Amino acid sequence: MSTSRLTAVLPDLAPWRSSRDFRLLFYQGTVTFFGSFMAMIALPLQIKHLTGSPLAVGAMGAVELVPLVVCGLYGGALADAVDRRRLILLTEAGLGLLALLLLVNALLPEPLLWPLYVVAAGVSALTGLQRPALDSLMARIVPHDQLSAAAALNGLRYQFGAIAGPALAGVVVAWAGYACAYAVTVSGFLVSVLLCARLRPAPPAGGAVRPSLRAIGEGARYAWSRPVLLGTYAVDLAAMFFAFPNAILPFLADELDAVWALGLMYAAGAVGSLVLGMTSGWVSRVRRHGLLVVFGAAAWGLAIAAAGWFSGIWLVLLCLAVAGAGDMLSGLGRATIWNQTIPEELRGRLAGIEVLSYSVGPQLGQVRAGTMAGWTGTRPAFWSGGLACVASVAVLAALLPKLISYDAGTDEDALRRRAAREEADREEDPDRIPS
């Protein structure tokens, strides 16, 4: 392959070169995701170990749901009203303290069950407060024409943790116990807090309003008035609700007589996402991002359905990897549309709604998967959910045609956002030549 062709396929590193804060967040996210995924796998495994019940594991999603909804919406309004750097730093420290609580519980002679649910709810609340600030910061620190590339690099950062964390979590838990896994998580948050402290201040935009129900309602009305945004939220919610099977992967591993492969099953989706991310150079040249959202979500559902049909562990792992690639593709489309079209003064509140769209779905999906697995068995919970995902995505695409027709080169919101960003860049650096 020639150098030019290889460059066209490899990830676009422009955001990495142009933004110091993007580099800091890349490092911070890499460390945090690795430690978080370590705990994310150890936590349901510990609940399974203590209870032996798929319903108990699935109930973790129900416990996380309300704090995520409430704090996600409030966190969006908060991100528009306060310094986003300070909000990120405080919530990151809080997440580290919750990880420390998991460690202390795991060191008890007889670990308790209820603290696991308490921590799950607390993590959900702090994540809801933090993610709008993190997500809304991206459009401020990365040039407008590099947003797709930034989304791809952020995906790679996430997938590194999603691969290494689960893959090592199974080994660490098996050989060293839950306490060791949680200790790794605590260490990761300590490093992350130090990196967040180096970010530049990110004060609110001019005319910022105080967090309130009215402010949240203003953001919701804006989202409701934009069919393209509605489509991104609805497609992701449907895909995750019907086809997010992580809570029942330990039970599928038991049925396939492949307990040894549980860590690989958790990591397989991330491997597929990583492969797509490592070949994402072409994404910077795409303008029809709505198509990425729809096709990626449909591929996710089909692959999850296939994972429920096959009996061979390697075929199941392949299906999970394909599902991860589809999810990555859809996520790139969503993130680019959000950052290209939402005005700066509403970024936090809309990011709060985004948190709900890509977080509530998995939480409800865990409840759905655990409940259905308890009623019908593990494998039917896989394939029926995958097929329901494909059907719902097709219906939503038909009901919201503007999502399919979205074009970054002609969409009015995208053009206005680009002009606003270029004006802000000129005020910061009068000699800057627009890209």
Side-chain angles (χ1 to χ4, degrees), residues 122-435:
V123 168
S124 184
L126 288 175
T127 299
L129 291 173
Q130 181 190 77
R131 286 305 297 269
L134 274 172
D135 292 348
S136 61
L137 191 59
M138 201 55 56
R140 179 181 291 191
I141 65 176
V142 175
H144 186 88
D145 60 330
Q146 297 175 11
L147 289 172
S148 292
L153 291 175
N154 283 336
L156 288 177
R157 174 193 68 175
Y158 176 87
Q159 300 311 330
F160 169 80
I163 292 171
L168 291 177
V171 176
V172 170
V173 169
W175 290 94
Y178 297 106
C180 185
Y182 297 140
V184 173
T185 304
V186 172
S187 301
F189 277 114
L190 177 61
V191 174
S192 177
V193 167
L194 295 176
L195 290 170
C196 288
R198 298 185 59 197
L199 291 170
R200 293 186 179 91
V209 297
R210 295 182 62 182
S212 64
L213 290 176
R214 183 177 180 179
I216 293 171
E218 182 182 357
R221 285 192 296 274
Y222 180 87
W224 185 260
S225 69
R226 298 300 191 273
V228 174
L229 291 179
L230 280 180
T232 63
Y233 304 148
V235 167
D236 191 43
L237 276 170
M240 294 298 102
F241 174 73
F242 288 114
F244 190 78
N246 281 20
I248 56 175
L249 283 177
F251 301 93
L252 181 63
D254 288 343
E255 289 191 15
L256 297 177
D257 194 25
V259 176
W260 58 271
L262 179 58
L264 296 177
M265 292 171 72
Y266 277 114
V271 171
S273 296
L274 182 65
V275 171
L276 190 139
M278 291 299 294
T279 57
S280 63
W282 56 274
V283 173
S284 296
R285 300 184 294 278
V286 171
R287 302 197 318 182
R288 301 285 299 278
H289 301 101
L291 291 176
L292 300 186
V293 174
V294 171
F295 289 155
W300 159 269
L302 283 173
I304 293 297
W309 279 107
F310 290 122
S311 300
I313 182 60
W314 295 110
L315 283 174
V316 170
L317 290 172
L318 177 61
C319 290
L320 294 175
V322 172
D327 186 44
M328 177 71 163
L329 185 65
S330 185
L332 289 179
R334 293 194 308 273
T336 303
I337 289 173
W338 294 338
N339 284 323
Q340 282 182 341
T341 63
I342 298 172
E344 175 62 25
E345 64 272 15
L346 291 171
R347 277 296 304 141
R349 280 163 282 179
L350 270 293
I353 297 174
E354 292 158 19
V355 168
L356 300 187
S357 77
Y358 61 67
S359 299
V360 171
Q363 306 311 324
L364 291 175
Q366 289 192 88
V367 177
R368 184 212 67 85
T371 301
M372 190 160 188
W375 288 346
T376 66
T378 302
R379 295 176 67 181
F382 266 80
W383 61 257
S384 63
L387 294 179
C389 166
V390 176
S392 62
V393 168
V395 170
L396 289 170
L399 293 175
L400 297 166
K402 286 191 175 182
L403 176 62
I404 299 294
S405 62
Y406 174 84
D407 188 319
T410 60
D411 182 82
E412 293 182 359
D413 289 328
L415 293 175
R416 278 195 294 267
R417 179 71 184 91
R418 182 185 184 95
R421 177 57 197 265
E422 290 176 352
E423 177 63 25
D425 288 341
R426 282 193 295 270
E427 291 178 359
E428 182 177 337
D429 182 3
D431 297 324
R432 177 183 173 90
I433 300 175
S435 56

